[in-house]
Structures are given as C-alpha cells and as structure tokens.
C-alpha cells in the first residue's frame, strides 16, 4: 500500500505485510530517508519528517547518511549512487518534477537539464520486500545535445537506523565451495563486495544482511538486501563517522563507465530488493523465499521433477548407446527427466573443441537427438540437453568463420580458460545467431529442459570498433536476458536451469527467467550441507538442484559415503541423480528406487514449504532442517560422525502448533507439539555419515 502524507504531500509511506518504508522530500528538493522497519502510521511519518537534519559541523555534510539516493556533487561525501558526465560537466543538481503511484509501485521523477531520473519503489501487500530501481533517460535539449555518460547508476541506497554497532553477514566462497556464511563486526569506512568477472561469481552472492543486537536464527531484527543482476556488480556497505550505515548497490564493478545515452536513450537499473525482519535470519529467509515463489520464479508453484544427468557417468565420451543404457536405468529408479550433458554436439571429444557448433554429432547420434528423445519420452521421462551458448572454442567452425565475435582487445594477447573464449553477446549479429541456433534446436528436437552453462569469466572484455566498449558489460547481460525471454516465449514447455560451473550465476535476475539453478559442481553430500545452508539464506529449496552421485566421490575429494547419506543430503532441494547407474549393484538400484519414491512423497513440502534451519552444519555435530506445508512437516537430519558416549541430541522443531498432536507417518508414533518444540524429536542416528528423513502430520 502507498500513502502520500502531509499537507504538501511530499511524504510517501509504503506498507507491506508487517513492515513499512517512508521517505520525505524537503522544500529544497532533498530526498530524505525517514523509516524502514516495523509498520508506522502516517502520523508517525509526519513526526519523523518534522525532525531537523543534524546541525552544521565543520568538514561534515548534513545530508550524508540521510539522503534516499545520494548523487555525485554538492555538499556530499558518501559514496554516490549516481555519477553522470555530460560533456565537461560532472555531478547532478536535480529538481523534483513529480510523483505517481500505480498500484503498489511509486515513481518519483527528477530532472537535471537533459537528464531525467526516476526512482522506482514497489512494496506488495503480501510481502515485506521493498523493490527499488532507477531509470535514467537523455531527454535532449539544446541545439546540439551531447551524450550523457552514466559512470554509475546504482539501483538503490538503503539507510539503516542509528545503532551502537552493526554486524555484517555475507555469503562468500569459491568454485565448489559456494555460499559460505561469513559474519563480522562492521568497521567504520566501507566494506565492498562484488564481481569483476562478467557474471554473478562463485566468490560472492549479491546479498548482505546487517543486525545490531545479536540476531539469531529465529530472533532479532535484521536488514537484508539482494541484487537482481547476473553480470558484474558491486555492493558497498558504509559506516559513516557518526555511526549511520548506508548500503549502495547496482550493476558494474567500478566507475569507469556504465552506458552512454544519446538523446532519446534510457537505462534501467536492475532491482535492488531488501527487507526488514524481526524474526532473525530464519524469519528473513522465509520472507525472501515466499516473495520469490510468489513474484520472481516462473511457475514456482509447480514442483520440479527428479532428474538424471549423464555428466559424471560419461563425461565427454557420450553416445546414443551409453545414453540409452543410462536412460533405462534412470527410468527404472523413478527419474522423471533425463538430461544429456556435454559431449553430444559435433566436434566435442573434449573441452578443446566444438563449443559454438550446436549440431548433434552424426557419429555418436545418427539421426540427431530426436531418436534418443523419443526413446526417453517412451520411458516416461522428459528429455533435456546441456548447452553453453555464450562460449566458443577457437577450434570450432563458428570461431573460424567469425573470430571477431569473441570478446577481445586489439593488440593484446587473449586469454583462454577451459580452452574457450566468451562470445560478445552485446553484438546484435551474435545475439541473432544464437537465437537462430537455439530456437532451431528446440524446434527440431522435442526438448523439455535446457541446462544453460557458463564456464569461464570475462578476461578480455574488449569490443574493437565500438565507440563505447564499456557498455559490453551491461549489454551482454541484457542480451542473455533477451535470449532467455525469447526462448521461453517461443517454447513455453521448456524449463531452463542456470549453471556457471555450479553456483557462479545465482541471483534474483537469472531466477526470474529460469526454473532452477545448479547449486555447485561439488556433489559430495557432506560438503553440500554447508553449501545448501548458505544458499537457503536467500533462495528457496524449489530452485536448488542437488544430485546423488557415486561413492567414493571421484570428481572432488574421494570421500566414501552411504547411499542413505547421499540421498538425504540431496533431498533438501530438487533431487537429481548423477552417478554411473550402469555400475550400481542391484541392491543399490533397489535402495535408490525406494529413496526416489520417498522423495516424491515429501517433494511438495520440501520445495514449497516453510524452511526452518534447526541445526547448522559444522564439524561432526548433528545438523537438521525442517519444512512445513499445511499439516505436513518433514525433518531431514544428518550425523557426520559419532562420538563415543555422546549420542546425538533430540532436534527441537519450530513453527508447530503447541496444542496439536503430530503423528510420524513411518512409525505411527504420536508426539505433542509442545514437546517437540521444547524437548525435541529423537532422531535415532548412530555411527558416521548417518542420516534420516522424518515425516510428521498434524492431526492425522
């Protein structure tokens, strides 16, 4: 809900499910932040607006820490959200030009000569997430209007209330160890995280959280922000000299240049969303999950199928015969989607060749992929393929025909990672070529699922001949979004998974266009517990793909683990299978079939239910998560190692009705809700790498 408050109607109050957000425009067109936190009334907002700014102090700005969207220029010393160059002039001196509300969206319009700037806000009635973004436009003016250069145009600046001290949480990592929570006291000055890699990155998720009073998993006030952008990005958390804190974020990793606007051009930033929660890290997570399921993820209320992926079984040595053998075994286990990974296309005997030539290898797949797809469909499964459209091998027909299509800098030696280069999707001819190839592939073959990979970072982001090559960084991502949007519109029955060597491209922007993400290339079930714990801080289980693979884990660490532990680990998200099923014993196959059947029975609860992280993974102690949907409760528990004389403790459940009775669906045992909350649920786990799935039902 949006209210325009006060006699002069220059106060705006946005109200969501449990929280509110307010801002105020002064008589001199200074846009000030008033409130972000629990719900307040219009009278409260007016009282806050009546408070004066701090008095003048030498060497300080009265505006710093109070402005809603600080710009470059004037009496300001904080990091600006907006930096503009117009000819020889820099800085912004805007004037207010109007406001408008349309449903749950508020737009505030400002102007500075040829620059038109609109600040957008959206807060939905069913959520506490505030969505913010900006639009900058060149509206011309003058006999020979010059171009406007946006050096920086962040989506939003978030202002926090004054507290004695703050703690900063972020999700850091690396390839195969993504989404590791890290918490530290927020120092004075700036803490900057981001990506200079051209994609979201394995190193940081574009998410931060701040708490001032020791928030826990279920208690305490928390402010969290997340950026919806799949390219290079930056989030800066500033603790100012007077203790105020502001968080600024948007596309681009520095201020070297974002886009150049000719008269009539405009730039719209990605969304920088944020929410306030009084329910600690768990309450914030559940609010983020609910918002994404309702407003971000396509067709989110439809649960994702159990898939089988052939990569760890075959690598590049794929063929129709090997895929058929795997498909038959996967179908017998209950898999619902069969995905052919890398190696199906012409010239692809390894990672040195073939990328860019998206045609089935005639020796490995006589007649193309359709015969295999028909066979897979006949087994009752959907059919999927792996692609990496944004990349090209130098040893490919595409690169030989169009070497200039790869990102490169003239006069400089290029870099190859994984023996491949990055195509310049900002070029219209490259973008159109990929559309024709991918659209043709999906039109000629009955494909139900596309695993879209991205296996290297930008290193030579040049664009010879382009007058403003800096725009490549933004335009590549825009082109990616355009391709996915066009393909989804033309092939509405095809689902897409985002992958970037695992979790290198996971963000709200890509999730608005894909159905799930490949969380990490690390499929070790113990390592995955920490990865999945961090992932769940922002994103729901409905999009978190997780595989059961072979033991020992030959891809990474060689750790041996039971099929039970591997399955229960992967059942915390969208279950997948990735081992070489032709080498599994009859006993293993039979056990796996039962686990798949069990997962299908709990799938709606896991993928769509409310998540409670009961015990965080770490060391050799017990860890557990709980999902609840309606009357159903599912608890997954893992015991990495058993200590002598230290039986694992009962797991205390959360979010239950203390007056209700809960029945275990597997044993028939009856529990009181209050007992489960205060005394816990016995798990029965023993030994090393043990795990269990416990299904409860209220009133059954």
């Amino acid at each position: 809900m949006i209210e325009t408050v006060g006699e002069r109607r220059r106060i705006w109050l946005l109200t969501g499910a449990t929280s509110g957000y307010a801002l105020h425009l002064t008589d001199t067109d200074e846009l000030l932040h008033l409130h972000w936190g629990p719900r307040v009334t219009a009278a409260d907002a007016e009282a806050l607006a009546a408070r004066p700014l701090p008095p003048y102090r030498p060497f300080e700005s009265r505006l710093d820490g109070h402005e809603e969207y600080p710009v470059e220029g004037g009496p300001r010393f904080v990091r600006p959200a907006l930096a503009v160059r117009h000819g020889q002039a820099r800085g912004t001196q805007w004037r207010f030009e109007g406001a408008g509300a349309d449903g749950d969206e508020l737009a505030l319009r400002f102007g500075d000569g040829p620059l038109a700037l609109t600040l957008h806000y959206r807060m939905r009635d069913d959520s506490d997430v505030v969505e913010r973004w900006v639009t900058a436009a060149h509206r011309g003016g003058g006999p020979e209007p010059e171009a406007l250069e946006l050096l920086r145009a962040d989506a939003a600046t978030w202002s926090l209330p004054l507290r004695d001290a703050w703690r900063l949480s972020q999700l850091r990592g690396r390839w195969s160890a993504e989404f590791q929570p890290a918490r530290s006291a927020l120092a004075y000055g700036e803490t900057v995280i981001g990506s200079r890699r051209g994609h979201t990155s394995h190193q940081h998720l574009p998410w931060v959280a701040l708490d001032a009073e020791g928030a826990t998993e279920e208690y305490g006030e928390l402010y969290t922000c997340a950026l919806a952008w799949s390219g290079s990005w930056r989030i800066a958390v500033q603790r100012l000299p007077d203790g105020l804190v502001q968080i600024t974020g948007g596309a681009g990793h520095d201020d070297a240049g974002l886009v150049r606007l000719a008269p009539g051009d405009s730039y719209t930033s990605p969304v920088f969303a944020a929410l306030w929660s009084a329910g600690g890290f768990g309450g914030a997570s559940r609010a983020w999950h609910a918002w994404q399921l309702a407003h971000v993820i396509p067709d989110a209320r439809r649960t994702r199928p159990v898939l089988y992926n052939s990569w760890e079984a075959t690598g590049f040595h794929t063929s129709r015969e090997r895929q058929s053998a795997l498909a038959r075994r996967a179908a017998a286990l209950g898999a619902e989607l069969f995905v052919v990974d890398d190696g199906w296309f012409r010239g692809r005997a390894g990672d040195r060749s073939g990328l860019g030539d998206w045609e089935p290898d005639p020796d490995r797949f006589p007649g193309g992929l359709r015969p295999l797809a028909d066979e897979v469909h006949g087994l009752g499964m959907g059919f999927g393929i792996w692609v990496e459209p944004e990349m090209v091998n130098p040893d490919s027909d595409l690169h030989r025909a169009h070497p200039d299509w790869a990102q490169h800098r003239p006069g400089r030696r290029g870099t190859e990672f994984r023996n491949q280069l990055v195509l310049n999707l900002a070029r219209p001819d490259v973008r159109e070529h990929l559309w024709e190839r991918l659209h043709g592939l999906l039109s000629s073959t009955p494909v139900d699922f596309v695993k879209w990979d991205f296996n290297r970072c930008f290193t030579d982001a040049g664009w010879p001949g382009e007058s403003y090559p800096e725009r490549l960084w933004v335009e590549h991502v825009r082109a990616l979004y355009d391709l996915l949007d066009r393909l989804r519109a033309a092939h509405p029955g095809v689902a897409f998974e985002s992958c970037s060597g695992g979790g290198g491209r996971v963000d709200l922007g890509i999730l608005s266009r894909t159905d799930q993400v490949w969380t990490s290339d690390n499929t070790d079930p113990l390592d995955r517990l920490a990865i999945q714990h961090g992932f769940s801080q922002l994103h729901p289980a409905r999009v978190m793909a997780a595989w059961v693979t072979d033991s020992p884990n030959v891809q990474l660490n060689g750790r041996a683990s039971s099929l039970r532990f591997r399955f229960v680990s992967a059942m915390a998200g969208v279950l997948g299978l990735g081992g070489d099923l032709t080498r599994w014993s009859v006993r293993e196959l039979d056990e796996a079939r039962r686990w798949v059947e069990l997962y299908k029975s709990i799938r709606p609860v896991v993928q769509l239910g409310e998540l409670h992280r009961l015990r965080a993974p770490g060391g050799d102690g017990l860890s557990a998560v709980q999902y609840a949907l309606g009357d159903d409760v599912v608890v997954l528990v893992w015991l990495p190692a058993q200590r002598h004389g230290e039986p694992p403790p009962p797991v205390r459940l959360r979010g239950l009705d203390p007056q209700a009775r809960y029945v275990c669906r597997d044993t028939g045992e009856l529990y009181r809700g209050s007992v489960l909350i205060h005394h816990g649920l016995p798990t029965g786990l023993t030994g090393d790498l043990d795990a269990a799935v416990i299904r409860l039902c209220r009133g059954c």
Side-chain angles (χ1 to χ4, degrees):
M1 180 176 66
I2 299 171
E3 296 179 72
T4 305
V5 178
E7 290 184 7
R8 302 195 64 237
R9 301 182 67 79
R10 290 165 73 95
I11 301 171
W12 294 275
L13 174 61
L14 290 77
T15 303
T18 67
S19 65
Y21 192 94
L23 55 155
H24 165 50
L25 189 71
T26 70
D27 292 339
T28 53
D29 286 359
E30 297 159 338
L31 186 63
L32 304 181
H33 176 78
L34 294 182
H35 172 77
W36 180 25
R39 278 186 168 192
V40 294
T41 65
D44 296 330
E46 287 189 89
L48 288 169
R51 290 184 174 184
L53 285 171
Y56 169 79
R57 291 170 293 170
F59 304 104
E60 299 294 344
S61 168
R62 299 172 69 238
L63 296 175
D64 284 355
H66 298 278
E67 279 194 297
E68 182 71 4
Y69 191 77
V71 299
E72 183 184 48
R76 304 171 179 90
F77 305 107
V78 296
R79 177 183 288 274
L82 180 71
V84 182
R85 181 159 51 206
H86 181 214
Q88 298 300 311
R90 285 189 61 158
T92 301
Q93 294 181 338
W94 70 27
R95 66 181 185 279
F96 180 62
E97 295 185 346
D102 182 8
D104 52 18
E105 182 181 331
L106 170 67
L108 304 180
R109 300 185 300 276
F110 299 85
D112 180 16
L115 173 67
L117 184 74
T118 304
L119 307 185
H120 302 270
Y121 297 77
R122 179 188 291 127
M123 193 173 194
R124 306 172 196 267
D125 292 341
D126 63 349
S127 175
D128 288 309
V129 173
V130 183
E131 303 165 52
R132 290 180 58 187
W133 68 100
V134 302
T135 301
H138 191 328
R139 56 188 175 186
E144 296 182 3
E146 298 181 75
L148 287 172
E149 185 179 5
L150 295 185
L151 303 175
R152 191 80 197 167
D154 282 341
T157 295
W158 301 99
S159 300
L160 275 57
L162 184 63
R163 299 288 186 266
D164 291 337
W166 288 94
R167 181 176 60 166
L168 172 67
S169 297
Q170 56 178 292
L171 294 170
R172 53 156 294 275
R174 61 188 183 278
W175 174 78
S176 81
E178 299 89 342
F179 316 119
Q180 306 295 311
R183 290 175 183 160
S184 60
L186 181 66
Y188 282 95
E190 283 190 321
T191 301
V192 180
I193 64 171
S195 168
R196 301 171 61 89
R197 299 165 183 261
H199 62 118
T200 320
S201 89
H202 302 80
Q203 287 68 33
H204 290 284
L205 191 76
W207 170 92
V208 294
L210 286 105
D211 68 284
E213 297 166 348
T216 65
E217 181 64 24
E218 294 297 325
Y219 302 99
E221 188 177 54
L222 198 70
Y223 292 84
T224 69
C225 313
L227 185 65
W229 185 244
S230 308
S232 292
W233 56 276
R234 185 180 72 192
I235 294 175
V237 184
Q238 308 168 79
R239 190 177 184 198
L240 304 178
D242 58 5
L244 288 172
V245 172
Q246 288 191 317
I247 307 164
T248 300
H253 55 72
D254 56 30
D255 298 330
L258 195 66
V259 295
R260 179 179 288 166
L261 303 179
D265 291 344
S266 66
Y267 166 80
T268 299
S269 78
V271 167
F272 194 17
L275 72 84
W276 168 88
S277 171
F281 289 90
S285 294
R286 287 185 288 278
W288 278 119
H289 298 172
W291 173 71
Q292 289 171 71
L293 291 172
H295 304 294
V296 177
I297 300 161
D299 202 15
R301 290 298 167 181
R302 177 180 296 181
T303 56
R304 299 298 305 146
V306 177
L307 68 77
Y308 176 83
N309 183 287
S310 66
W311 172 248
E312 294 200 13
T314 64
F316 295 108
H317 306 293
T318 188
S319 66
R320 165 69 192 279
E321 293 73 20
R322 295 193 72 180
Q323 297 297 316
S324 294
L326 290 167
R328 290 191 293 273
R329 293 227 171 178
L333 296 184
E336 299 158 311
L337 174 62
F338 182 86
V339 182
V340 180
D341 210 279
D342 199 351
W344 59 266
F345 45 96
R346 179 166 48 84
R348 192 65 165 171
D351 65 9
R352 303 189 67 88
S353 61
L355 277 182
D357 300 335
W358 301 109
E359 296 177 1
D361 189 295
D363 297 326
R364 300 179 179 190
F365 295 93
L369 291 175
R370 177 176 284 276
L372 177 61
D374 290 342
E375 179 184 359
V376 167
H377 287 145
L379 292 169
M381 298 184 292
F383 178 72
I385 57 171
W386 175 96
V387 295
E388 195 175 3
E390 297 157 82
M391 303 294 168
V392 64
N393 286 127
D395 184 6
S396 66
D397 290 346
L398 178 63
H399 189 262
R400 283 185 284 271
H402 301 284
D404 56 321
W405 282 9
Q407 295 180 6
H408 67 286
R409 290 174 175 158
R412 291 289 182 260
R413 183 173 59 252
T415 304
E416 292 181 25
F417 285 161
R418 205 172 180 253
N419 304 300
Q420 62 194 51
L421 304 171
V422 184
L423 289 172
N424 182 0
L425 265 66
R427 292 179 56 131
D429 49 359
V430 174
R431 186 161 60 246
E432 194 59 28
H433 169 82
L434 290 179
W435 157 255
E436 291 173 357
R437 282 301 178 95
L438 295 169
H439 174 57
L441 179 63
L442 298 182
S443 299
S444 62
T445 305
V447 173
D448 306 289
F449 177 90
V450 173
K451 183 182 182 73
W452 188 297
D453 214 338
F454 182 93
N455 277 315
R456 62 154 292 177
C457 310
F458 288 13
T459 54
D460 308 292
W463 188 352
E466 166 61 28
S467 61
Y468 195 74
E470 291 86 352
R471 71 186 182 96
L472 178 152
W473 295 86
V474 168
E475 292 302 320
H476 183 104
V477 182
R478 299 293 191 200
L480 166 68
Y481 289 169
D482 178 68
L483 268 173
L484 287 169
D485 291 344
R486 291 177 71 185
L487 289 169
R488 292 190 73 98
H491 306 277
V494 177
F496 289 81
E497 177 181 86
S498 171
C499 177
S500 178
R505 189 148 69 187
V506 177
D507 58 80
L508 295 171
I510 202 69
L511 279 171
S512 68
R513 294 166 170 87
T514 54
D515 301 88
Q516 62 189 54
V517 295
W518 179 223
T519 318
S520 177
D521 279 349
N522 188 342
T523 61
D524 176 79
L526 184 57
D527 288 349
R528 281 297 290 247
L529 296 183
I531 293 170
Q532 294 170 179
H533 174 82
F535 183 94
S536 72
Q537 297 290 328
L538 176 60
H539 299 304
R542 162 61 176 70
V543 299
M544 187 180 72
W547 294 356
V548 176
T549 56
D550 292 331
S551 179
N553 189 291
V554 297
Q555 293 286 326
L556 286 173
N557 56 25
R559 179 184 286 124
S561 55
S562 68
L563 204 56
R564 166 185 288 270
F565 196 86
R566 282 177 275 158
F567 261 98
V568 179
S569 175
M571 289 164 75
V574 178
L575 177 64
L577 306 170
D580 187 353
L581 301 182
T582 62
R583 296 179 179 270
W584 287 20
S585 67
V586 173
R587 181 178 178 179
E588 288 176 314
L589 292 170
D590 186 56
E591 181 183 351
R593 179 187 54 77
R594 295 195 300 271
W595 283 114
V596 171
E597 184 179 4
L598 175 61
Y599 176 75
K600 291 178 180 178
S601 74
I602 65 172
R603 173 166 49 192
V605 185
V606 170
Q607 294 189 17
L608 304 179
E610 287 194 342
L611 169 68
H612 291 267
R613 293 179 292 265
L614 303 180
R615 294 177 65 94
D620 56 7
L622 188 76
S623 63
V625 295
Q626 170 193 320
Y627 308 86
L629 184 65
D631 292 330
D632 289 305
V633 177
V634 173
V635 181
L636 307 181
V637 289
W638 303 273
L639 181 64
Q642 174 73 65
R643 290 182 178 270
H644 176 69
E646 295 183 13
V651 177
R652 294 176 61 187
L653 306 191
R654 297 182 183 135
L656 304 186
D657 180 354
Q659 306 302 320
R661 299 189 308 171
Y662 291 83
V663 177
C664 178
R665 290 187 179 274
D666 299 297
T667 66
E669 192 166 355
L670 180 66
Y671 299 96
R672 301 289 305 180
S674 59
V675 174
L676 292 174
I677 294 170
H678 296 286
H679 297 277
L681 174 70
T683 65
L685 300 187
T686 59
D688 295 344
L689 296 178
D690 196 10
V693 177
I694 303 170
R695 300 182 296 169
L696 303 174
C697 179
R698 178 174 57 185
C700 295

